[in-house]
């Protein structure tokens, strides 16, 4: 099942359009999780349920907490194996859910599918041009492979997104496992979607749909186009995204390295204990193999019990004769 999470705030007419675009899908194994982020008045359930029936979950936040926190609340409430986000003023193309489901089924190695975007609305001209320029720049540098209606990228995508995150890479549909690995949206970041995309590019196997599945409405009351911001401010914003993401990834890498070193140390100690147990068992059964095993345990993690067992090996009666023992000592030069 696919969960569609819609963070909503004070745009009831647009929200109904978004919900209708889901109801018109040619794939029907889905749920819709609408998170009312402190709308005034509160979002009414009846009009949405009339469209979606039992496939609707409506959750109310009594105060506006902002987009990242609202999206994270929706992801937490979702029960599908695949979770995607849809802004309350955007739409899904009719084949969006079927394309996503089919792509994940045919390509189980994929963790995240970014949905191609088509801007629309009275203010869409400039966003269309800027989106095409940004996408073409990434395509010309990375030359992604195309198969089954998807563009597949190498690990170099991470470095490209550090410079700029086109809108297409801010519209993820990801398996639940990918959300667990990458985490939710940074609730303190101004550009949380871009930060998430950069993290996903370095932690997951990702692809981009060839067809636009997300219809991005550009109007005078959304953040789809940074109206009033000059190119310098926009560029600075991208730099902030890169800096924030680099800091997060560096912190995560250091934590992973520390955790890995701790695990390696624990595994070495466990191996030493197992080798010692084997050496103890072999003491009166296979003197040579037992002493070799004890030596291996000692070199991994020397302990007093190793020396005590070594003394027992050397002074206790053995099943082999002294002559045989001399000829089989590991440090003997005789053949």
């Amino acid at each position: 099942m696919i969960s569609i999470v819609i963070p909503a705030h004070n745009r009831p007419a647009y929200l109904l359009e978004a919900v209708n675009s889901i109801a018109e899908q040619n794939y029907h194994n889905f749920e819709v999780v609408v998170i009312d982020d402190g709308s005034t008045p509160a979002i009414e359930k009846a009009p949405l349920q009339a469209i979606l029936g039992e496939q609707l979950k409506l959750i109310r936040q009594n105060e506006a907490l902002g987009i990242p926190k609202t999206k994270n609340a929706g992801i937490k409430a979702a029960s599908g194996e695949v979770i995607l986000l849809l802004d309350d003023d955007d739409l899904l193309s009719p084949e969006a859910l079927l394309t996503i489901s089919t792509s994940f089924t045919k390509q189980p190695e994929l963790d995240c599918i970014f949905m191609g975007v088509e801007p629309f609305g009275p203010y869409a001209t400039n966003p269309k041009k800027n989106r095409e320029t940004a996408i073409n720049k990434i395509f010309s540098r990375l030359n992604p492979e195309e198969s089954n209606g998807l563009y597949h990228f190498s690990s170099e995508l991470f470095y490209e997104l550090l410079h700029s995150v086109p809108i297409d890479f801010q519209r993820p549909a990801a398996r639940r496992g990918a959300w667990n690995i990458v985490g939710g949206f940074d609730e303190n970041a101004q550009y949380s979607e871009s930060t998430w995309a950069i993290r996903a590019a370095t932690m997951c196997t990702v692809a981009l749909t060839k067809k636009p599945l997300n219809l991005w409405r550009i109007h005078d009351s959304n953040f789809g186009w940074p109206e009033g911001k000059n190119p310098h401010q926009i560029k600075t914003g991208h730099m902030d995204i890169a800096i924030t993401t680099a800091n997060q990834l560096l912190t995560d890498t250091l934590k992973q390295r520390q955790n890995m070193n701790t695990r390696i140390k624990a595994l070495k100690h466990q191996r030493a204990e197992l080798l010692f147990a084997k050496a103890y068992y072999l003491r009166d059964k296979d003197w040579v193999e037992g002493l070799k095993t004890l030596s291996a345990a000692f070199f991994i993690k020397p302990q007093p019990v190793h020396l005590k067992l070594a003394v027992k090996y050397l002074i206790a009666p053995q099943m082999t004769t002294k002559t045989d023992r001399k000829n089989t000592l590991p440090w003997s030069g005789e053949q």
Side-chain angles (χ1 to χ4, degrees):
M1 182 173 69
I2 298 177
S3 294
I4 303 99
V5 173
I6 305 178
H9 179 73
N10 288 347
R11 295 192 285 212
Y14 286 150
L15 176 60
L16 285 176
E17 289 187 43
V19 167
N20 271 309
S21 76
I22 299 171
E24 294 169 357
Q25 295 291 303
N26 52 10
Y27 176 90
H28 303 288
N29 185 19
F30 64 80
E31 68 171 2
V32 179
V33 182
V34 177
I35 308 292
D36 180 2
D37 186 30
S39 296
T40 52
I43 293 173
E44 296 181 9
K45 186 175 183 178
L48 301 177
Q49 197 163 41
I51 300 170
L52 296 172
E54 296 305 312
Q55 292 172 293
L56 170 70
K57 286 183 183 179
L58 176 59
I59 299 173
R60 165 74 175 175
Q61 296 177 165
N62 290 326
E63 58 178 326
L65 301 179
I67 293 175
K69 289 184 179 180
T70 303
K71 287 184 175 181
N72 286 341
I75 293 169
K76 184 177 181 180
S79 56
E81 287 304 310
V82 173
I83 303 171
L84 67 87
L85 284 300
L86 179 67
D87 287 352
D88 62 349
D89 55 344
D90 289 348
L91 308 173
L92 289 180
S93 66
E95 70 276 12
L97 297 185
L98 180 60
T99 299
I100 291 167
S101 176
T102 302
S103 297
F104 275 128
T105 300
K106 290 183 177 180
Q107 300 173 77
E109 75 281 2
L110 283 177
D111 301 308
C112 174
I113 298 173
F114 292 107
M115 296 183 288
V117 170
E118 177 67 30
F120 76 99
Y123 301 92
T125 302
N126 284 335
K128 278 186 178 182
K129 293 179 180 178
N130 283 277
R131 175 202 166 269
E132 290 175 2
T133 299
I135 287 291
N136 290 338
K137 185 180 293 185
I138 288 180
F139 274 46
S140 64
R141 291 178 177 174
L142 299 183
N143 295 315
E145 295 182 3
E146 179 192 344
S147 65
N148 298 316
L150 298 177
Y151 294 109
H152 299 266
F153 296 87
S154 68
S155 59
E156 297 297 311
L157 176 64
F158 165 73
Y159 302 102
E160 291 298 322
L161 294 183
L162 283 177
H163 297 289
S164 176
V165 183
I167 187 64
D168 302 60
F169 292 96
Q170 300 176 40
R171 298 293 186 265
R175 298 184 193 270
R176 180 173 296 276
W179 289 107
N180 291 336
I181 293 170
V182 181
F185 295 97
D186 185 348
E187 296 180 356
N188 298 313
Q190 184 178 1
Y191 302 96
S192 58
E193 293 85 358
S194 297
T195 302
W196 195 94
I198 297 171
R199 290 170 63 83
T202 193
M203 296 179 179
C204 302
T205 302
V206 304
L208 172 68
T209 63
K210 184 176 181 180
K211 292 182 178 180
L213 303 185
N214 180 278
L215 305 180
W216 180 32
R217 188 194 305 266
I218 310 298
H219 53 93
D220 57 357
S221 61
N222 71 353
F223 297 100
W225 176 245
E227 187 175 351
K229 290 189 177 181
N230 59 41
H232 170 72
Q233 290 174 306
I234 297 171
K235 184 64 176 178
T236 302
H238 289 314
M239 291 179 178
D240 289 340
I241 293 169
I243 292 170
T244 300
T245 306
N247 288 339
Q248 290 177 337
L249 293 174
L250 180 59
T251 301
D252 291 345
T253 301
L254 292 174
K255 288 181 179 178
Q256 290 170 6
R257 182 184 297 174
Q258 183 178 6
N259 291 338
M260 186 58 67
N261 289 338
T262 301
R263 291 175 183 176
I264 290 172
K265 185 177 180 180
L267 287 171
K268 285 182 177 179
H269 290 177
Q270 183 188 35
R271 183 166 177 255
E273 291 175 2
L274 293 172
L275 288 169
F276 174 79
K278 181 181 177 182
Y280 192 90
Y281 172 78
L282 293 173
R283 182 174 52 130
D284 58 353
K285 298 176 178 62
D286 190 333
W287 188 85
V288 175
E289 183 62 27
L291 196 57
K292 288 180 179 178
T293 304
L294 180 60
S295 299
F298 180 83
F299 283 114
I300 294 173
K301 186 186 179 184
Q303 297 188 72
V305 291
H306 296 163
L307 298 176
K308 291 179 180 179
L309 183 58
V311 171
K312 291 180 179 181
Y313 260 89
L314 296 175
I315 66 174
Q318 304 297 324
M319 297 180 66
T320 58
T321 66
K322 292 183 179 180
T323 304
D324 291 336
R325 186 187 305 171
K326 179 180 179 182
N327 291 336
T328 55
L329 283 172
W331 53 80
S332 172
E334 298 181 22
Q335 300 296 323

